[in-house]
PDB file of all heavy atoms in Angstrom:
ATOM      1  N   GLY A   1     -26.551  93.794  97.343  1.00 65.00           N
ATOM      2  CA  GLY A   1     -26.971  94.745  96.318  1.00 65.00           C
ATOM      3  C   GLY A   1     -28.478  94.867  96.185  1.00 65.00           C
ATOM      4  O   GLY A   1     -29.005  95.923  95.839  1.00 65.00           O
ATOM      5  N   SER A   2     -29.192  93.792  96.477  1.00 63.00           N
ATOM      6  CA  SER A   2     -30.648  93.812  96.358  1.00 63.00           C
ATOM      7  C   SER A   2     -31.330  94.039  97.700  1.00 63.00           C
ATOM      8  O   SER A   2     -32.549  94.072  97.774  1.00 63.00           O
ATOM      9  CB  SER A   2     -31.136  92.502  95.746  1.00 63.00           C
ATOM     10  OG  SER A   2     -30.780  91.423  96.579  1.00 63.00           O
ATOM     11  N   ASN A   3     -30.540  94.167  98.756  1.00 72.00           N
ATOM     12  CA  ASN A   3     -31.040  94.382 100.114  1.00 72.00           C
ATOM     13  C   ASN A   3     -31.915  93.215 100.580  1.00 72.00           C
ATOM     14  O   ASN A   3     -32.954  93.405 101.184  1.00 72.00           O
ATOM     15  CB  ASN A   3     -31.789  95.713 100.229  1.00 72.00           C
ATOM     16  CG  ASN A   3     -31.947  96.145 101.669  1.00 72.00           C
ATOM     17  OD1 ASN A   3     -31.092  95.900 102.506  1.00 72.00           O
ATOM     18  ND2 ASN A   3     -33.059  96.784 101.969  1.00 72.00           N
ATOM     19  N   TRP A   4     -31.462  91.993 100.302  1.00 81.00           N
ATOM     20  CA  TRP A   4     -32.167  90.796 100.742  1.00 81.00           C
ATOM     21  C   TRP A   4     -31.602  90.329 102.070  1.00 81.00           C
ATOM     22  O   TRP A   4     -30.426  90.034 102.198  1.00 81.00           O
ATOM     23  CB  TRP A   4     -32.011  89.650  99.750  1.00 81.00           C
ATOM     24  CG  TRP A   4     -32.811  89.782  98.497  1.00 81.00           C
ATOM     25  CD1 TRP A   4     -33.765  90.701  98.214  1.00 81.00           C
ATOM     26  CD2 TRP A   4     -32.702  88.959  97.344  1.00 81.00           C
ATOM     27  NE1 TRP A   4     -34.256  90.503  96.962  1.00 81.00           N
ATOM     28  CE2 TRP A   4     -33.632  89.438  96.411  1.00 81.00           C
ATOM     29  CE3 TRP A   4     -31.921  87.865  97.032  1.00 81.00           C
ATOM     30  CZ2 TRP A   4     -33.796  88.856  95.161  1.00 81.00           C
ATOM     31  CZ3 TRP A   4     -32.082  87.289  95.795  1.00 81.00           C
ATOM     32  CH2 TRP A   4     -33.014  87.779  94.873  1.00 81.00           C
ATOM     33  N   GLY A   5     -32.448  90.265 103.058  1.00 88.00           N
ATOM     34  CA  GLY A   5     -32.051  89.701 104.334  1.00 88.00           C
ATOM     35  C   GLY A   5     -32.421  88.234 104.367  1.00 88.00           C
ATOM     36  O   GLY A   5     -33.534  87.861 104.006  1.00 88.00           O
ATOM     37  N   PHE A   6     -31.487  87.403 104.767  1.00 86.00           N
ATOM     38  CA  PHE A   6     -31.721  85.964 104.846  1.00 86.00           C
ATOM     39  C   PHE A   6     -31.542  85.477 106.273  1.00 86.00           C
ATOM     40  O   PHE A   6     -30.734  86.015 107.029  1.00 86.00           O
ATOM     41  CB  PHE A   6     -30.719  85.191 103.964  1.00 86.00           C
ATOM     42  CG  PHE A   6     -30.923  85.382 102.500  1.00 86.00           C
ATOM     43  CD1 PHE A   6     -30.080  86.215 101.777  1.00 86.00           C
ATOM     44  CD2 PHE A   6     -31.934  84.719 101.837  1.00 86.00           C
ATOM     45  CE1 PHE A   6     -30.245  86.387 100.422  1.00 86.00           C
ATOM     46  CE2 PHE A   6     -32.119  84.883 100.473  1.00 86.00           C
ATOM     47  CZ  PHE A   6     -31.261  85.718  99.758  1.00 86.00           C
ATOM     48  N   TRP A   7     -32.287  84.455 106.610  1.00 89.00           N
ATOM     49  CA  TRP A   7     -32.111  83.796 107.899  1.00 89.00           C
ATOM     50  C   TRP A   7     -32.326  82.306 107.693  1.00 89.00           C
ATOM     51  O   TRP A   7     -33.050  81.882 106.798  1.00 89.00           O
ATOM     52  CB  TRP A   7     -33.065  84.347 108.950  1.00 89.00           C
ATOM     53  CG  TRP A   7     -34.520  84.258 108.592  1.00 89.00           C
ATOM     54  CD1 TRP A   7     -35.248  85.164 107.873  1.00 89.00           C
ATOM     55  CD2 TRP A   7     -35.437  83.209 108.923  1.00 89.00           C
ATOM     56  NE1 TRP A   7     -36.544  84.744 107.734  1.00 89.00           N
ATOM     57  CE2 TRP A   7     -36.695  83.540 108.378  1.00 89.00           C
ATOM     58  CE3 TRP A   7     -35.305  82.023 109.632  1.00 89.00           C
ATOM     59  CZ2 TRP A   7     -37.815  82.731 108.509  1.00 89.00           C
ATOM     60  CZ3 TRP A   7     -36.429  81.210 109.775  1.00 89.00           C
ATOM     61  CH2 TRP A   7     -37.663  81.581 109.216  1.00 89.00           C
ATOM     62  N   ASP A   8     -31.657  81.535 108.511  1.00 90.00           N
ATOM     63  CA  ASP A   8     -31.801  80.082 108.513  1.00 90.00           C
ATOM     64  C   ASP A   8     -32.028  79.635 109.947  1.00 90.00           C
ATOM     65  O   ASP A   8     -31.391  80.146 110.867  1.00 90.00           O
ATOM     66  CB  ASP A   8     -30.531  79.388 108.016  1.00 90.00           C
ATOM     67  CG  ASP A   8     -30.414  79.362 106.513  1.00 90.00           C
ATOM     68  OD1 ASP A   8     -31.449  79.339 105.834  1.00 90.00           O
ATOM     69  OD2 ASP A   8     -29.268  79.340 106.022  1.00 90.00           O
ATOM     70  N   TYR A   9     -32.926  78.681 110.099  1.00 90.00           N
ATOM     71  CA  TYR A   9     -33.168  78.093 111.413  1.00 90.00           C
ATOM     72  C   TYR A   9     -32.621  76.678 111.387  1.00 90.00           C
ATOM     73  O   TYR A   9     -33.036  75.851 110.574  1.00 90.00           O
ATOM     74  CB  TYR A   9     -34.658  78.100 111.733  1.00 90.00           C
ATOM     75  CG  TYR A   9     -35.028  77.378 113.009  1.00 90.00           C
ATOM     76  CD1 TYR A   9     -34.320  77.586 114.179  1.00 90.00           C
ATOM     77  CD2 TYR A   9     -36.079  76.489 113.044  1.00 90.00           C
ATOM     78  CE1 TYR A   9     -34.650  76.929 115.353  1.00 90.00           C
ATOM     79  CE2 TYR A   9     -36.429  75.828 114.208  1.00 90.00           C
ATOM     80  CZ  TYR A   9     -35.705  76.049 115.354  1.00 90.00           C
ATOM     81  OH  TYR A   9     -36.034  75.396 116.518  1.00 90.00           O
ATOM     82  N   TYR A  10     -31.686  76.392 112.264  1.00 90.00           N
ATOM     83  CA  TYR A  10     -31.100  75.073 112.382  1.00 90.00           C
ATOM     84  C   TYR A  10     -31.813  74.353 113.521  1.00 90.00           C
ATOM     85  O   TYR A  10     -31.543  74.609 114.695  1.00 90.00           O
ATOM     86  CB  TYR A  10     -29.586  75.175 112.650  1.00 90.00           C
ATOM     87  CG  TYR A  10     -28.825  75.673 111.443  1.00 90.00           C
ATOM     88  CD1 TYR A  10     -28.856  77.005 111.076  1.00 90.00           C
ATOM     89  CD2 TYR A  10     -28.099  74.784 110.665  1.00 90.00           C
ATOM     90  CE1 TYR A  10     -28.183  77.459 109.957  1.00 90.00           C
ATOM     91  CE2 TYR A  10     -27.412  75.227 109.545  1.00 90.00           C
ATOM     92  CZ  TYR A  10     -27.461  76.568 109.199  1.00 90.00           C
ATOM     93  OH  TYR A  10     -26.788  77.015 108.086  1.00 90.00           O
ATOM     94  N   ILE A  11     -32.727  73.486 113.154  1.00 86.00           N
ATOM     95  CA  ILE A  11     -33.621  72.843 114.115  1.00 86.00           C
ATOM     96  C   ILE A  11     -32.850  72.013 115.135  1.00 86.00           C
ATOM     97  O   ILE A  11     -33.082  72.125 116.339  1.00 86.00           O
ATOM     98  CB  ILE A  11     -34.666  71.979 113.389  1.00 86.00           C
ATOM     99  CG1 ILE A  11     -35.573  72.864 112.537  1.00 86.00           C
ATOM    100  CG2 ILE A  11     -35.490  71.179 114.384  1.00 86.00           C
ATOM    101  CD1 ILE A  11     -36.491  72.108 111.611  1.00 86.00           C
ATOM    102  N   ILE A  12     -31.941  71.181 114.676  1.00 89.00           N
ATOM    103  CA  ILE A  12     -31.229  70.290 115.589  1.00 89.00           C
ATOM    104  C   ILE A  12     -30.413  71.085 116.598  1.00 89.00           C
ATOM    105  O   ILE A  12     -30.413  70.782 117.788  1.00 89.00           O
ATOM    106  CB  ILE A  12     -30.350  69.299 114.806  1.00 89.00           C
ATOM    107  CG1 ILE A  12     -31.253  68.362 113.989  1.00 89.00           C
ATOM    108  CG2 ILE A  12     -29.441  68.507 115.737  1.00 89.00           C
ATOM    109  CD1 ILE A  12     -30.522  67.469 113.015  1.00 89.00           C
ATOM    110  N   GLU A  13     -29.730  72.136 116.128  1.00 90.00           N
ATOM    111  CA  GLU A  13     -28.918  72.959 117.034  1.00 90.00           C
ATOM    112  C   GLU A  13     -29.744  74.022 117.746  1.00 90.00           C
ATOM    113  O   GLU A  13     -29.260  74.695 118.635  1.00 90.00           O
ATOM    114  CB  GLU A  13     -27.781  73.645 116.268  1.00 90.00           C
ATOM    115  CG  GLU A  13     -26.751  72.699 115.706  1.00 90.00           C
ATOM    116  CD  GLU A  13     -27.054  72.304 114.259  1.00 90.00           C
ATOM    117  OE1 GLU A  13     -28.146  72.638 113.749  1.00 90.00           O
ATOM    118  OE2 GLU A  13     -26.207  71.645 113.642  1.00 90.00           O
ATOM    119  N   ASN A  14     -30.986  74.205 117.289  1.00 88.00           N
ATOM    120  CA  ASN A  14     -31.891  75.218 117.843  1.00 88.00           C
ATOM    121  C   ASN A  14     -31.248  76.611 117.828  1.00 88.00           C
ATOM    122  O   ASN A  14     -31.206  77.304 118.836  1.00 88.00           O
ATOM    123  CB  ASN A  14     -32.349  74.858 119.251  1.00 88.00           C
ATOM    124  CG  ASN A  14     -33.573  75.649 119.656  1.00 88.00           C
ATOM    125  OD1 ASN A  14     -34.407  75.990 118.819  1.00 88.00           O
ATOM    126  ND2 ASN A  14     -33.690  75.967 120.927  1.00 88.00           N
ATOM    127  N   LYS A  15     -30.737  76.975 116.636  1.00 92.00           N
ATOM    128  CA  LYS A  15     -30.125  78.292 116.503  1.00 92.00           C
ATOM    129  C   LYS A  15     -30.583  78.949 115.211  1.00 92.00           C
ATOM    130  O   LYS A  15     -31.029  78.279 114.276  1.00 92.00           O
ATOM    131  CB  LYS A  15     -28.600  78.204 116.563  1.00 92.00           C
ATOM    132  CG  LYS A  15     -27.962  77.455 115.423  1.00 92.00           C
ATOM    133  CD  LYS A  15     -26.451  77.381 115.623  1.00 92.00           C
ATOM    134  CE  LYS A  15     -25.785  76.605 114.505  1.00 92.00           C
ATOM    135  NZ  LYS A  15     -24.338  76.499 114.708  1.00 92.00           N
ATOM    136  N   VAL A  16     -30.476  80.255 115.189  1.00 94.00           N
ATOM    137  CA  VAL A  16     -30.858  81.048 114.028  1.00 94.00           C
ATOM    138  C   VAL A  16     -29.605  81.737 113.497  1.00 94.00           C
ATOM    139  O   VAL A  16     -28.859  82.356 114.259  1.00 94.00           O
ATOM    140  CB  VAL A  16     -31.916  82.110 114.400  1.00 94.00           C
ATOM    141  CG1 VAL A  16     -32.277  82.965 113.200  1.00 94.00           C
ATOM    142  CG2 VAL A  16     -33.159  81.442 114.976  1.00 94.00           C
ATOM    143  N   ILE A  17     -29.381  81.610 112.197  1.00 95.00           N
ATOM    144  CA  ILE A  17     -28.261  82.260 111.522  1.00 95.00           C
ATOM    145  C   ILE A  17     -28.858  83.332 110.610  1.00 95.00           C
ATOM    146  O   ILE A  17     -29.822  83.069 109.895  1.00 95.00           O
ATOM    147  CB  ILE A  17     -27.462  81.247 110.668  1.00 95.00           C
ATOM    148  CG1 ILE A  17     -27.032  80.040 111.478  1.00 95.00           C
ATOM    149  CG2 ILE A  17     -26.283  81.921 109.987  1.00 95.00           C
ATOM    150  CD1 ILE A  17     -26.012  80.317 112.540  1.00 95.00           C
ATOM    151  N   VAL A  18     -28.297  84.538 110.661  1.00 94.00           N
ATOM    152  CA  VAL A  18     -28.787  85.636 109.818  1.00 94.00           C
ATOM    153  C   VAL A  18     -27.614  86.266 109.075  1.00 94.00           C
ATOM    154  O   VAL A  18     -26.484  86.235 109.536  1.00 94.00           O
ATOM    155  CB  VAL A  18     -29.534  86.715 110.648  1.00 94.00           C
ATOM    156  CG1 VAL A  18     -30.757  86.127 111.321  1.00 94.00           C
ATOM    157  CG2 VAL A  18     -28.619  87.367 111.671  1.00 94.00           C
ATOM    158  N   ASN A  19     -27.915  86.861 107.911  1.00 92.00           N
ATOM    159  CA  ASN A  19     -26.852  87.569 107.212  1.00 92.00           C
ATOM    160  C   ASN A  19     -26.812  89.026 107.682  1.00 92.00           C
ATOM    161  O   ASN A  19     -27.699  89.487 108.412  1.00 92.00           O
ATOM    162  CB  ASN A  19     -26.991  87.442 105.690  1.00 92.00           C
ATOM    163  CG  ASN A  19     -28.178  88.169 105.099  1.00 92.00           C
ATOM    164  OD1 ASN A  19     -29.078  88.632 105.801  1.00 92.00           O
ATOM    165  ND2 ASN A  19     -28.201  88.284 103.786  1.00 92.00           N
ATOM    166  N   LYS A  20     -25.777  89.728 107.277  1.00 92.00           N
ATOM    167  CA  LYS A  20     -25.613  91.127 107.699  1.00 92.00           C
ATOM    168  C   LYS A  20     -26.786  91.979 107.241  1.00 92.00           C
ATOM    169  O   LYS A  20     -27.256  92.843 107.973  1.00 92.00           O
ATOM    170  CB  LYS A  20     -24.313  91.703 107.146  1.00 92.00           C
ATOM    171  CG  LYS A  20     -23.081  91.200 107.821  1.00 92.00           C
ATOM    172  CD  LYS A  20     -21.835  91.857 107.228  1.00 92.00           C
ATOM    173  CE  LYS A  20     -20.590  91.358 107.919  1.00 92.00           C
ATOM    174  NZ  LYS A  20     -19.371  91.977 107.358  1.00 92.00           N
ATOM    175  N   THR A  21     -27.259  91.731 106.036  1.00 92.00           N
ATOM    176  CA  THR A  21     -28.359  92.537 105.490  1.00 92.00           C
ATOM    177  C   THR A  21     -29.606  92.410 106.347  1.00 92.00           C
ATOM    178  O   THR A  21     -30.317  93.388 106.559  1.00 92.00           O
ATOM    179  CB  THR A  21     -28.645  92.139 104.029  1.00 92.00           C
ATOM    180  OG1 THR A  21     -27.448  92.291 103.265  1.00 92.00           O
ATOM    181  CG2 THR A  21     -29.735  93.000 103.429  1.00 92.00           C
ATOM    182  N   TRP A  22     -29.882  91.225 106.866  1.00 92.00           N
ATOM    183  CA  TRP A  22     -31.052  91.035 107.727  1.00 92.00           C
ATOM    184  C   TRP A  22     -30.976  91.992 108.913  1.00 92.00           C
ATOM    185  O   TRP A  22     -31.959  92.635 109.272  1.00 92.00           O
ATOM    186  CB  TRP A  22     -31.135  89.576 108.191  1.00 92.00           C
ATOM    187  CG  TRP A  22     -32.343  89.284 109.017  1.00 92.00           C
ATOM    188  CD1 TRP A  22     -33.567  88.892 108.549  1.00 92.00           C
ATOM    189  CD2 TRP A  22     -32.464  89.374 110.437  1.00 92.00           C
ATOM    190  NE1 TRP A  22     -34.437  88.724 109.610  1.00 92.00           N
ATOM    191  CE2 TRP A  22     -33.785  89.024 110.783  1.00 92.00           C
ATOM    192  CE3 TRP A  22     -31.596  89.720 111.455  1.00 92.00           C
ATOM    193  CZ2 TRP A  22     -34.247  88.998 112.090  1.00 92.00           C
ATOM    194  CZ3 TRP A  22     -32.049  89.694 112.764  1.00 92.00           C
ATOM    195  CH2 TRP A  22     -33.364  89.343 113.062  1.00 92.00           C
ATOM    196  N   ALA A  23     -29.804  92.082 109.523  1.00 94.00           N
ATOM    197  CA  ALA A  23     -29.630  92.969 110.684  1.00 94.00           C
ATOM    198  C   ALA A  23     -29.812  94.430 110.292  1.00 94.00           C
ATOM    199  O   ALA A  23     -30.506  95.183 110.974  1.00 94.00           O
ATOM    200  CB  ALA A  23     -28.259  92.747 111.308  1.00 94.00           C
ATOM    201  N   THR A  24     -29.213  94.828 109.172  1.00 93.00           N
ATOM    202  CA  THR A  24     -29.297  96.241 108.778  1.00 93.00           C
ATOM    203  C   THR A  24     -30.701  96.614 108.307  1.00 93.00           C
ATOM    204  O   THR A  24     -31.101  97.769 108.446  1.00 93.00           O
ATOM    205  CB  THR A  24     -28.250  96.593 107.699  1.00 93.00           C
ATOM    206  OG1 THR A  24     -28.466  95.787 106.541  1.00 93.00           O
ATOM    207  CG2 THR A  24     -26.842  96.400 108.232  1.00 93.00           C
ATOM    208  N   GLN A  25     -31.453  95.655 107.781  1.00 92.00           N
ATOM    209  CA  GLN A  25     -32.842  95.939 107.399  1.00 92.00           C
ATOM    210  C   GLN A  25     -33.665  96.368 108.613  1.00 92.00           C
ATOM    211  O   GLN A  25     -34.614  97.119 108.475  1.00 92.00           O
ATOM    212  CB  GLN A  25     -33.499  94.720 106.757  1.00 92.00           C
ATOM    213  CG  GLN A  25     -33.077  94.468 105.353  1.00 92.00           C
ATOM    214  CD  GLN A  25     -33.755  93.241 104.787  1.00 92.00           C
ATOM    215  OE1 GLN A  25     -34.030  92.270 105.494  1.00 92.00           O
ATOM    216  NE2 GLN A  25     -34.022  93.271 103.500  1.00 92.00           N
TER     217      GLN A  25
END
C-alpha cells in the first residue's frame, strides 16, 4: 500500500531476497 520495496542480503548464503514491490518499483 505504501509502495515500499524491501531487500535483504543473506551474507552466509550470499543471496539477495526482494519483495514484489521492489521488483515493480
Side-chain angles (χ1 to χ4, degrees):
S2 61
N3 197 34
W4 285 351
F6 291 104
W7 57 273
D8 279 330
Y9 174 47
Y10 290 75
I11 296 171
I12 294 171
E13 294 94 352
N14 197 32
K15 65 182 179 182
V16 178
I17 307 292
V18 298
N19 69 348
K20 287 181 180 180
T21 303
W22 183 89
T24 60
Q25 284 179 327

